[in-house]
Amino acid sequence: MNLNISKLRNIGIAAHIDAGKTTCSERILFFTGVNRKLGETHDGQATMDFMKQEQERGITIASAAITTHWNDHQINLIDTPGHVDFTVEVERSLRVIDGMVAVFCAVGGVQPQSETVWNQADKYRVPRIAFVNKMDRTGADFNEVVNQMNKYLGANAVPIHMPIGQEDSFEGMIDLVNMNSVIFKDKERIVGPIPESMTAQVEEARRNLIEHVADFDDEIAELYLSDEDVPVEKLKAAIRMATIKLMMVPVLCGSAYKNKGIQLLLDAIVDYLPSPKDLGAIIAHDPDDEEKTVQRNPLDNEPFSALAFKLINDPYVGQQTFIRIFSGKLTSGMSVFNTNKGKTERIGRIFRIKAKEREEITEAGAGEIVALVGMKITRTGDTLCDEGSPILLENIHIPPAVIEMKVNLDDKKNRGKLGEALAKLCNEDPSFRAHYDEETEETIIAGMGELHLEIIVDRLKDEFKVPVSVGAPSVSFRETITAPFECNYRFVKQTGGKGQFAHTVIRFEPNPGNGFEFVDVTKGGVIPKEFIPSVQKGLQTAMQKGPFAGYPVVDVKCVLLDGGFHPVDSSDMAFQVCAQMCFKQAFMKASPALLEPVMKVEINTPDDYIGNVTGDLNKRRGRIEAMRRFRKGSQKVDAFVPLMEMFGYATALRNVTSGRANYSMEFDKYAPTPKDKQEEIVKERNSEKN
């Protein structure tokens, strides 16, 4: 099948947890004919939430991709999680979609995770439309949500719908573009005239819409100033252009659960969100020269380029690698070049995915999102391209893991099985880490939050059949230095035969916020060129486990000043060991310090409890950044709080606000730990080793 690229829509659905994203996706699948019955998140029957853990909790954990059709257009739909622990799922989905539907709860409005997702979409410059869901719920207020979008997100949100009734009396909406009413009864939409009682309101809302569009379209501005009517097709084209150029966000309304407004949402996806052709060429880098940029147009006759954005282990076909094709054509059996690995990989089977169902195809073209089976070396963020025209696409930002947990095997015979399972999970989820601690003989897993690790442990038990028991979650600290120190270290080892010799003089300096930096200023070949990388490698190895408390070392600049070598006894290994020993000796003399992860916390609380909430945050060493009026009777508190003080916060917040507040948190940065806490942590860590 030759796909007309202008009739393709790659879209994501994203929002705060519980705003109704997955219910919207399910209704889209129903009304486009993919599903014959409606799936619900609350009874575990949602097509898009097909993981056992998603069905048990009624939330989305992994972004699911599905292909469907509407009005002669192909829609590749990605449903993303709303919980901040799975923010990497949203990040990698936004990297490959062309447009987004942002779902807002008509009662909750702009919630903490709505802002996070919106900022991520801004970063990738993703055009979006907004759907105000749950208009049938008590407390629903369409205009208030639009105001919050403009106030808190700077969205330039403009309604193209006006609700007919709200809460219990919500029946449908006025379509301000086509100027008609749409009432929903038993999954059917009934299009009719505008009720007389609403004429004045509707005219004002339509005028507001045209005023906004006139700012971006001279022809519409002339018609508006001449008091002439704006033709529907002209208005649609102008809204589409303004949406694609991120100048406005059209806002629709409905109730996904009650089947109201989904067909109009599908119409808006087709009418206003871009095709790959609308967005034009993708900008990439030349692998041989990072400064040089390369363009690839979304055409089948261009050289092939694609980004691998997700890996899933499927029990039936094995590992599936999801890719977004940006240019060229992919056929099964062809060879592609993996730029990140510098190796060629052969394409096996190609699938178009329908959630847990799959349709095998022999070729796929520019703009498509497909899954590949049989890829051996490709991982998340890798660029696949034509070997004759190599390029490097922008990678996916992976935030650091901030929380750790010890995993113990109930039966030591399962050690190999556990290793295999963890390797597969690490491949699938780049924000998850796992390693074996030789000293304590324990397996440590690390991730983005308590729920993230809870899901991983569940999957180890259910999916991979590895019986494990877990310790309490703990914080993943970092070590650094706060003062410069110069170390002169000579490594000499005689073992009867050939000896080992290396000599390095290295100055270690604090490098706040800039990670590891290695600078070679040696002169006159005091250390041969071939051994300079050995010194760097030795330093990086030593920094994986700091001498202070065994945590990774960050933010250190290492300047190689001088050294010496032996023509026979010097080797790559000798310089690696010498650099490691030099680092360990210097580190403890350079005023070492522990860094702790600090979380950005956003709390929505009724006014009555604001004192309780701020008092509790102060007890947790929290720094309150801002307090703002959120909506009538409630406020939003922005604070920065160390992660180690946030364990069990959900329960504490429930207790101090009688269950009426909610919060969201995400990693912000690593910051120095207070001296007394630092001593406590180091003492505890050292006693664990002994």
Side-chain angles (χ1 to χ4, degrees), residues 593-617:
L594 267 192
L595 301 175
E596 62 181 343
V598 173
M599 311 303 281
K600 182 185 178 197
V601 183
E602 291 187 8
I603 303 150
N604 293 339
T605 175
D607 290 345
D608 299 354
Y609 302 103
I610 193 78
N612 297 3
V613 168
T614 54
D616 184 63
L617 286 172

Side-chain angles (χ1 to χ4, degrees), residues 111-125:
Q111 293 165 286
Q113 189 63 9
S114 317
E115 292 195 39
T116 304
V117 169
W118 198 269
N119 292 337
Q120 284 174 302
D122 278 343
K123 181 167 74 178
Y124 290 111
R125 298 189 58 75

Side-chain angles (χ1 to χ4, degrees), residues 209-472:
L209 170 61
I210 291 172
E211 266 178 27
H212 271 89
V213 177
D215 288 344
F216 322 119
D217 190 295
D218 293 343
E219 215 175 319
I220 287 178
E222 276 180 45
L223 290 169
Y224 173 66
L225 292 169
S226 317
D227 255 352
E228 289 179 50
D229 196 35
V230 178
V232 170
E233 289 312 311
K234 202 173 279 299
L235 182 56
K236 274 188 183 174
I239 294 172
R240 176 180 177 77
M241 184 276 292
T243 304
I244 291 171
K245 291 190 173 176
L246 305 178
M247 292 167 169
M248 75 176 267
V249 176
V251 187
L252 300 84
C253 66
S255 167
Y257 183 56
K258 295 280 176 68
N259 305 308
K260 293 176 180 177
I262 296 300
Q263 298 99 318
L264 296 189
L265 175 60
L266 281 160
D267 289 343
I269 288 168
V270 165
D271 289 341
Y272 306 126
L273 288 179
S275 70
K277 193 177 176 183
D278 293 315
L279 295 179
I282 182 118
I283 308 294
H285 294 282
D286 183 327
D288 300 323
D289 181 1
E290 279 279 328
E291 299 299 308
K292 196 173 161 191
T293 57
V294 188
Q295 287 195 0
R296 286 282 184 275
N297 290 297
L299 300 168
D300 286 355
N301 58 6
E302 286 259 319
F304 174 73
S305 67
L307 184 75
F309 69 97
K310 185 174 175 61
L311 272 68
I312 289 180
N313 281 299
D314 187 290
Y316 302 106
V317 295
Q319 183 177 280
Q320 291 180 358
T321 306
F322 281 79
I323 65 162
R324 158 71 195 260
I325 303 171
F326 287 103
S327 63
K329 193 173 267 191
L330 183 71
T331 54
S332 47
M334 77 185 262
S335 290
V336 294
F337 183 64
N338 183 319
T339 315
N340 302 71
K341 303 288 189 294
K343 291 179 182 173
T344 302
E345 181 138 45
R346 191 176 169 80
I347 300 296
R349 299 160 78 194
I350 309 171
F351 288 100
R352 193 168 278 131
I353 300 296
K354 301 191 172 176
K356 57 184 169 182
E357 302 299 318
R358 63 191 76 78
E359 169 200 346
E360 188 161 358
I361 53 177
T362 54
E363 63 174 42
E368 291 209 65
I369 291 176
V370 292
L372 309 178
V373 172
M375 303 297 276
K376 292 182 172 60
I377 59 168
T378 302
R379 298 290 175 261
T380 296
D382 284 0
T383 299
L384 299 175
C385 60
D386 188 309
E387 197 169 1
S389 309
I391 62 167
L392 186 63
L393 293 162
E394 185 195 338
N395 209 320
I396 296 162
H397 168 69
I398 308 297
V402 294
I403 190 166
E404 292 182 343
M405 199 182 262
K406 292 174 186 132
V407 175
N408 300 309
L409 281 165
D410 296 348
D411 184 347
K412 296 282 186 230
K413 281 187 280 187
N414 286 316
R415 182 174 282 186
K417 210 172 166 187
L418 175 65
E420 276 175 40
L422 290 174
K424 282 181 179 174
L425 289 167
C426 286
N427 276 345
E428 257 187 51
D429 180 354
S431 66
F432 171 66
R433 312 261 193 282
H435 71 274
Y436 183 71
D437 191 315
E438 297 285 349
E439 280 184 43
T440 59
E441 295 188 342
E442 288 171 322
T443 300
I444 312 289
I445 59 174
M448 301 299 297
E450 289 176 85
L451 180 62
H452 188 193
L453 295 187
E454 190 186 306
I455 300 290
I456 293 283
V457 170
D458 267 11
R459 290 186 66 192
L460 283 173
K461 291 175 182 174
D462 296 338
E463 206 175 302
F464 296 97
K465 305 289 183 279
V466 182
V468 290
S469 53
V470 294

